[in-house]
Amino acid sequence: EDPVGNGHEEKENNPFAEYMWMENEEDFNRQVEEELQEQEFLDRCFQEMLEEEDQDWFIPARDLPQGMGQLQQQLHGLSVGDGHGSEDILSKSNLNPDAKEFVPGVKY
């Protein structure tokens, strides 16, 4: 069928059907605002949760007193002996070299 001069067919009931969404524009805007506020609230809660979690972590640079940094560096500088002094320790030992090897949970 031929369209009428306004671009709509004669049989179309409401020539303004494509603009009917504007009737509920305020409700739509209110719904979008609520969703945005809810998202903002969730973002704030998530950020607070991350900040609380950061407070629970032990970070030496932040949580130790200033003098502890030097002590920590000294501790890192320590090393376990390389075995050259072990003969000296063995000569002073009161342990029985002929004793059975200790195994936890085994009764002799």
Side-chain angles (χ1 to χ4, degrees), residues 46-65:
F46 187 71
Q47 188 61 38
E48 287 177 16
M49 182 186 71
L50 288 176
E51 288 170 5
E52 286 177 11
E53 191 175 271
D54 280 346
Q55 290 174 359
D56 291 342
W57 285 89
F58 176 73
I59 302 171
R62 179 191 72 191
D63 299 332
L64 290 177

Side-chain angles (χ1 to χ4, degrees), residues 6-40:
N6 64 3
H8 295 281
E9 294 181 16
E10 278 187 74
K11 291 185 176 181
E12 191 175 299
N13 294 337
N14 188 352
F16 301 103
E18 64 183 282
Y19 302 104
M20 291 306 291
W21 65 270
M22 291 180 172
E23 179 181 20
N24 300 322
E25 184 177 9
E26 290 176 8
D27 292 336
F28 177 78
N29 288 343
R30 190 176 311 114
Q31 180 183 357
V32 169
E33 276 187 40
E34 287 174 3
E35 289 174 4
L36 289 173
Q37 288 173 350
E38 183 178 341
Q39 184 62 41
E40 183 181 325

Side-chain angles (χ1 to χ4, degrees), residues 84-98:
H84 292 302
S86 61
E87 295 86 16
D88 196 32
I89 294 172
L90 290 176
S91 66
K92 295 177 184 175
S93 174
N94 293 330
L95 297 177
N96 181 358
D98 299 324

